[in-house]
């Protein structure tokens, strides 16, 4: 079973191979990334089979850990915990990652930095796989941060343009707010138990003081809210759509944003020990589910509709966990990962074909792009919660869990969210695929070719001139995800049993209510957007629902509130700090400089006058002495004789005088 | 008969020495200076011989010493004249006042 460690290591190795290469070589080496992820996929299936009932592992878990460092007597351990939950996550991540990487081969092939894209995508996959395999919170946190970095890099992939650059910063900083909570939660957890290991922490959670458990649970929840884009930390996810679409499919739909849900599901014993934290989780999830759905209603950007829909569905998962249906939440995570990445891949095809993300410029694509329409349709029906597509099953389990928990208000909110979801799905479908083409690009489709192998060599920038379906690298991942989306729902009872809960088929009452609501939403959507073939008059709708529509249009003022309450005051504080800096700090520094300059001036003067004066004075003295004395040396012998004679006379006089 | 004593010799020697000294210091011609130097040497010789004759009549020390001195003077004058000739060849002059190339 040691090969389990290879699952995250293979993509990490792919990153390590790609990262140091030159750009040109790296661009040719993108198969390394695909190979790494494909290897992980194969190993993940082997690991899944091993923990499946009847597999090699008797107790359905595999543990291994090794200490990598010791800090102050505390061992830092990297460990692997393979249990049913992580096995399921492994399958989801590797399947979606392989689909996205294969899809990107075609989608990103004209990008100058495609090699770097593959390197970061591999690193991200490695981090996500390490996160679900971690056996302690510290390793989970480290992988969590690496994912945050990769998300930042991929959102800002086109960093020549301003919008992706700003979006990447916003995403990084907003999730950072949540991560601070997560980090503090880890510190409190460590202070309480002296360990980060899952088995130690979660095993003892039931015995913690309720206050401690609540604090830790809420702090972890805060971290999860940042990563999983829950209200009020959801603002980064719609902006994150500025990144490449396949990266959005992998990171901002299927895997990274689900990491928060995974964290809460993992730490469930702490939440259960607290009790109130579960309620908070449920309330936040329900709010997010509804708010995200409502915000999706007014978006015209295809990807932003999907982003808000992701926020809403993640809210659903939090509702499930909060209501005590962690398995239902995990199941929704799985189904959502498949159908939402499918929707994003479809959106990518449409965006490349039409050069726009604005749904008002689309229309009638159903006839032009039947493959895309079929797979996208499967994803859309799953999202709306129509049986038998996967979303129906998982949503039904969530509603069932909420109903059984007697949370009737939340149940109503969840149903409202389901209605809104179905409505915006219908809006999206009729605007994009039905009706008449509204732009030249949407008209000018090639006939759909079954082999899908058109020659794109003549185009630069990776954009096709037609609204036709794309090549096999693009199509087959979507078909695979479409098949999974259509079929995975039937595994619901087995899935529950695998995760250790009693499996059941949908409750007829709940199922019919949920289906009814979804159909009502779709019907309402058809009534507004699909009934008449012509263009929908947005202005009329806007006028009729003026206050509500403008509130939604302004994203319910979340961004404006952050701007006014956090960012602008912060800038004001920094401005006054800058004044302080300029006057006081710079003053001290400049004052010291002036003082020092004066001191050196004085020192220089002393040096010049006194030290140089002594030296030059000595020189001048010896020179003038030399000038005076050279006159004695006339060179004439007789002069010297006279000196000698004079000296002799003096000497004799001296002798005469002395002698007397 | 006039008594010629040591004082007369020493007086004559003093006169000769003074004449030589004056010549050595004051004459311009190098040859004249050399001659003046010889004059001073001769006056010394005269003194030496006279004192030897009057102070120690039985000894011949002074006379021998005088002969040594004359030999040395002859050699010295030879050397001196050779120098003067060399200088003359160089500068066409034997005036001591022009010989100041060792001036400081």
């Amino acid at each position: 079973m040691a090969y389990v460690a290879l699952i995250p290591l293979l993509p990490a190795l792919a990153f390590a191979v790609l990262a140091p290469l030159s750009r040109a070589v790296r661009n040719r080496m993108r198969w390394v990334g695909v190979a790494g992820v494909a290897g992980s996929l194969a190993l993940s299936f082997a690991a899944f089979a091993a923990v499946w009932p009847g597999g090699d592992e008797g107790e359905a878990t595999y543990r291994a850990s090794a200490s990598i460092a010791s800090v102050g007597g505390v061992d830092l351990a990297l460990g692997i915990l393979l249990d049913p939950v992580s096995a399921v996550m492994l399958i989801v991540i590797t399947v979606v990652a392989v689909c996205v990487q294969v899809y990107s081969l075609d989608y990103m092939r004209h990008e100058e930095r495609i090699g770097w894209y593959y390197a970061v995508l591999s690193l991200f996959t490695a981090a996500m796989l390490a996160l679900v395999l971690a056996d302690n919170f510290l390793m989970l946190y480290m992988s969590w941060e690496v994912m945050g970095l990769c998300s930042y890099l991929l959102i800002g992939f086109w960093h020549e343009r301003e919008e992706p650059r700003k979006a990447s910063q916003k995403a990084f900083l907003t999730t950072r707010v949540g991560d601070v909570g997560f980090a503090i939660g880890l510190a409190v957890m460590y202070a309480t138990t002296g360990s980060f290991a899952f088995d130690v922490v979660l095993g003892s959670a039931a015995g913690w003081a309720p206050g401690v458990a609540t604090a830790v649970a809420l702090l972890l929840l805060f971290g999860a809210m940042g990563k999983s884009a829950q209200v009020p930390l959801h603002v980064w996810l719609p902006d994150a759509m500025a990144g490449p679409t396949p990266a959005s499919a992998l990171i901002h739909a299927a895997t990274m944003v689900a990491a928060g849900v995974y964290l809460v599901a993992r730490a469930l014993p702490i939440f259960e020990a607290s009790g109130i934290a579960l309620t908070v989780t449920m309330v936040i999830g329900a709010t997010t589910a509804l708010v995200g759905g409502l915000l999706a209603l007014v978006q015209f950007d295809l990807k932003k509709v999907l982003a808000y829909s992701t926020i809403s569905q993640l809210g659903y998962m939090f509702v499930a966990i909060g209501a005590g249906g962690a398995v239902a939440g995990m199941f929704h995570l799985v189904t959502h990962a498949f159908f939402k990445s499918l929707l994003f891949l479809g959106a990518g095809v449409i965006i490349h074909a039409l050069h726009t993300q604005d749904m008002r410029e689309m229309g009638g694509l159903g006839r032009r792009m039947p493959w895309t329409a079929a797979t996208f349709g499967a994803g859309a029906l799953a999202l709306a919660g129509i049986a038998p597509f996967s979303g129906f099953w998982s949503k039904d389990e969530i509603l069932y869990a909420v109903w059984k928990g007697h949370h009737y208000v939340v149940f109503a909110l969840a149903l409202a969210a389901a209605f809104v979801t179905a409505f915006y799905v219908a809006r999206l479908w009729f605007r994009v695929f039905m009706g008449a083409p509204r732009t030249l690009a949407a008209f000018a489709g090639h006939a759909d070719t079954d082999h899908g192998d058109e020659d794109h060599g003549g185009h630069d920038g990776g954009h096709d001139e037609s609204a036709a379906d794309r090549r096999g690298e693009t199509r087959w991942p979507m078909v695979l995800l479409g098949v999974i989306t259509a079929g995975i729902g039937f595994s619901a009872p087995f899935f529950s049993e695998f995760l250790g809960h009693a499996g059941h088929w949908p409750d007829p009452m709940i199922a019919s209510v949920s289906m009814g609501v979804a159909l009502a939403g779709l019907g309402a959507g058809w009534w507004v957007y699909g009934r008449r073939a012509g263009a929908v008059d947005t202005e009329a709708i806007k006028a009729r629902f003026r206050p509500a529509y403008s509130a939604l249009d302004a994203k319910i003022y979340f961004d404006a509130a952050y701007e006014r309450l956090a960012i602008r005051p912060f800038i004001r504080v920094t401005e006054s700090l800058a004044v302080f800096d300029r006057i006081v700090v710079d003053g001290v520094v400049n004052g010291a400089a002036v003082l020092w300059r004066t001191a050196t001036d004085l020192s220089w003067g002393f040096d010049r006058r006194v030290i140089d004066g002594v030296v030059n004075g000595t020189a001048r003295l010896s020179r003038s002495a030399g000038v005076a004395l050279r006159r004695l040396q006339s060179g004439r012998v007789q002069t010297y004789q006279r000196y000698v004679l004079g000296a002799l006379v003096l000497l004799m006089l001296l002798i005469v005088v002395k002698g007397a | 008969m006039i008594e010629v004593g040591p004082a007369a010799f020493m007086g004559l020697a003093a006169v000769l020495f003074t004449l030589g000294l004056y010549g050595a210091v004051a004459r311009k011609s190098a040859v004249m200076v050399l001659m003046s130097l010889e004059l001073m040497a001769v006056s010394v010789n005269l003194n030496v011989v006279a004192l030897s004759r009057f102070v120690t009549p039985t000894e011949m020390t002074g006379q021998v010493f005088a002969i040594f001195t004359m030999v040395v003077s002859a050699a010295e004058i030879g050397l001196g004249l050779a120098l003067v000739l060399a200088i003359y060849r160089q500068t066409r002059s034997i005036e001591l006042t022009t010989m100041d190339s060792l001036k400081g």
Side-chain angles (χ1 to χ4, degrees):
Chain A
M1 288 297 282
Y3 62 81
V4 174
L6 279 178
I7 295 174
L9 283 179
L10 283 178
L13 199 65
F15 172 76
V17 168
L18 287 173
L21 296 176
S22 73
R23 179 185 289 181
V25 177
R26 198 158 55 197
N27 285 353
R28 285 198 299 277
M29 297 274 280
R30 44 189 193 241
W31 57 268
V32 171
V34 182
V37 179
S40 291
L41 176 71
L43 292 176
S44 297
F45 271 106
F48 186 83
V51 296
W52 186 259
D56 316 338
E57 294 286 311
E59 53 173 359
T61 55
Y62 166 75
R63 282 195 177 80
S65 93
S67 171
I68 52 161
S70 179
V71 180
V74 180
D75 280 341
L76 291 181
L78 286 187
I80 285 176
L81 171 64
L82 179 68
D83 63 359
V85 178
S86 36
V88 167
M89 291 295 288
L90 286 182
I91 298 291
V92 172
I93 295 160
T94 49
V95 167
V96 175
V98 164
C99 288
V100 164
Q101 291 223 359
V102 172
Y103 177 93
S104 302
L105 285 177
D106 177 48
Y107 190 86
M108 303 289 285
R109 73 187 182 285
H110 290 299
E111 292 298 332
E112 254 174 55
R113 293 188 300 266
I114 184 171
W116 176 241
Y117 170 83
Y118 266 89
V120 177
L121 216 54
S122 297
L123 179 63
F124 170 82
T125 311
M128 186 74 204
L129 290 169
L131 184 137
V132 298
L133 278 174
D135 78 336
N136 62 69
F137 280 102
L138 195 64
M139 185 176 158
L140 190 150
Y141 182 65
M142 291 193 292
S143 318
W144 179 280
E145 293 294 349
V146 173
M147 286 199 306
L149 169 69
C150 295
S151 164
Y152 167 81
L153 291 173
L154 287 172
I155 295 169
F157 182 71
W158 288 303
H159 51 68
E160 304 87 348
R161 298 209 309 265
E162 171 142 28
E163 193 203 341
R165 216 162 49 223
K166 285 204 152 172
S168 61
Q169 286 167 9
K170 186 172 177 182
F172 196 72
L173 291 176
T174 314
T175 50
R176 191 68 1 153
V177 171
D179 291 349
V180 170
F182 190 1
I184 299 172
L186 288 183
V188 176
M189 175 195 295
Y190 190 80
T192 311
T193 64
S195 172
F196 289 117
F198 284 157
D199 43 5
V200 176
V201 173
L202 302 180
S204 69
W208 294 1
V212 174
T214 304
V216 173
L218 289 181
L219 286 165
L220 292 186
L221 176 65
F222 195 62
M225 282 160 60
K227 212 60 154 182
S228 291
Q230 296 297 290
V231 173
L233 295 180
H234 66 284
V235 292
W236 64 272
L237 188 56
D239 289 24
M241 294 301 127
T245 308
S248 303
L250 177 63
I251 298 180
H252 305 120
T255 53
M256 186 185 85
V257 288
V261 179
Y262 174 80
L263 171 67
V264 176
R266 261 292 175 220
L268 196 62
I270 304 176
F271 284 74
E272 280 167 349
S274 156
I276 188 156
L278 280 178
T279 314
V280 172
T281 308
M282 188 166 58
V283 170
I284 285 174
T287 315
T288 306
L290 191 58
V291 166
L294 287 173
L295 285 169
L297 285 180
V298 298
Q299 297 298 320
F300 289 109
D301 183 321
L302 180 57
K303 284 182 75 182
K304 284 199 174 171
V305 173
L306 294 178
Y308 278 115
S309 149
T310 303
I311 292 174
S312 165
Q313 298 303 309
L314 290 165
Y316 249 98
M317 298 172 207
F318 277 90
V319 167
I321 296 175
V327 171
M330 288 303 292
F331 189 49
H332 196 54
L333 191 164
V334 172
T335 58
H336 173 260
F338 289 124
F339 71 69
K340 189 54 69 65
S341 51
L342 168 62
L343 289 174
F344 267 106
L345 296 187
V349 172
I350 294 166
I351 290 164
H352 257 195
L354 298 188
H355 304 258
T356 179
Q357 307 193 5
D358 193 329
M359 295 198 299
R360 284 169 294 194
E361 297 173 20
M362 301 173 183
L365 294 179
R367 283 186 302 282
R368 306 281 175 199
M369 311 166 85
W371 281 94
T372 309
T375 48
F376 199 95
L381 288 177
L383 175 58
I386 303 295
F389 293 96
S390 59
F392 161 76
W393 302 79
S394 50
K395 205 174 275 186
D396 178 76
E397 282 201 25
I398 292 173
L399 291 172
Y400 181 77
V402 175
W403 184 259
K404 283 287 165 202
H406 307 290
H407 306 293
Y408 300 115
V409 179
V410 173
F411 186 78
L413 282 174
L415 277 187
F419 176 82
V420 171
T421 303
F423 187 86
Y424 69 67
V425 165
R427 172 174 178 266
L428 191 152
W429 178 261
F430 288 115
R431 271 194 182 280
V432 174
F433 289 100
M434 293 293 142
R438 289 184 197 95
T439 60
L440 213 57
F443 268 119
H446 288 189
D448 180 41
T449 46
D450 272 338
H451 50 87
D453 201 5
E454 308 142 59
D455 178 29
H456 298 291
H459 307 300
D460 57 352
H463 298 292
D464 296 350
E465 300 299 327
S466 73
D469 284 355
R470 296 172 62 89
R471 312 201 304 182
E473 291 101 308
T474 316
R475 182 181 301 161
W476 296 118
M478 289 167 62
V479 171
L480 172 65
L481 288 172
V483 169
I484 294 174
T485 297
I488 199 176
F490 296 100
S491 74
F494 312 109
F495 186 88
S496 295
E497 268 168 32
F498 180 48
L499 295 189
H501 279 246
H504 60 88
W505 293 95
D507 180 85
M509 192 274 285
I510 303 281
S512 48
V513 168
S514 121
M515 272 289 275
V517 167
L519 288 173
L522 287 180
W526 172 79
W527 179 261
V528 177
Y529 294 99
R531 192 160 44 99
R532 286 180 298 269
V536 178
D537 187 2
T538 309
E539 292 306 317
I541 299 173
K542 212 183 259 189
R544 187 162 342 145
F545 303 103
R546 168 66 57 195
Y549 195 98
S550 49
L552 289 179
D553 213 18
K555 306 178 203 168
I556 322 192
Y557 311 112
F558 273 109
D559 284 294
Y562 288 145
E563 178 79 26
R564 197 153 305 160
L565 294 179
I567 297 171
R568 274 196 223 143
F570 186 73
I571 289 174
R572 264 200 296 281
V573 169
T574 54
E575 272 165 2
S576 42
L577 283 178
V579 171
F580 175 82
D581 203 39
R582 207 164 49 233
I583 293 174
V584 179
V585 178
D586 286 10
V588 168
V589 173
N590 290 341
V594 168
L595 202 67
W596 190 244
R597 205 174 63 187
T598 316
T600 52
D601 276 352
L602 286 174
S603 163
W604 182 67
F606 176 82
D607 208 31
R608 205 176 45 142
R609 298 213 182 92
V610 180
I611 310 273
D612 287 10
V614 169
V615 174
N616 291 341
T618 309
R620 211 172 295 146
L621 185 69
S622 74
R623 200 168 101 167
S624 47
V627 168
L629 287 174
R630 71 194 282 260
R631 295 212 194 107
L632 289 176
Q633 198 176 358
S634 64
R636 293 183 192 162
V637 182
Q638 286 171 312
T639 319
Y640 302 155
Q641 284 178 331
R642 281 172 207 148
Y643 296 154
V644 174
L645 187 60
L648 187 66
V649 170
L650 280 177
L651 191 65
M652 288 173 76
L653 275 176
L654 197 66
I655 290 167
V656 169
V657 172
K658 276 276 183 165
Chain B
M1 177 86 174
I2 301 161
E3 180 71 21
V4 182
F9 289 100
M10 291 181 79
L12 178 61
V15 169
L16 285 176
F17 186 84
T18 311
L19 283 172
L21 186 61
Y22 172 78
V25 171
R27 299 303 299 218
K28 281 191 170 176
S29 166
V31 175
M32 292 305 287
V33 171
L34 283 175
M35 289 167 70
S36 303
L37 289 177
E38 274 314 296
L39 206 56
M40 284 194 283
V42 164
S43 75
V44 171
N45 275 352
L46 183 62
N47 253 1
V48 168
V49 172
L51 287 173
S52 170
R53 176 68 182 83
F54 288 106
V55 178
T56 55
T58 56
E59 302 286 329
M60 295 298 283
T61 320
Q63 284 82 344
V64 173
F65 199 72
I67 288 173
F68 270 105
T69 313
M70 274 189 278
V71 172
V72 171
S73 312
E76 174 208 310
I77 209 75
L79 183 66
L81 281 173
L83 278 173
V84 169
L85 277 175
I87 289 167
Y88 180 77
R89 278 203 207 105
Q90 207 74 38
T91 63
R92 297 278 144 195
S93 162
I94 51 168
E95 294 220 347
L96 280 176
T97 48
T98 61
M99 296 180 201
D100 60 354
S101 54
L102 286 179
K103 188 169 83 174

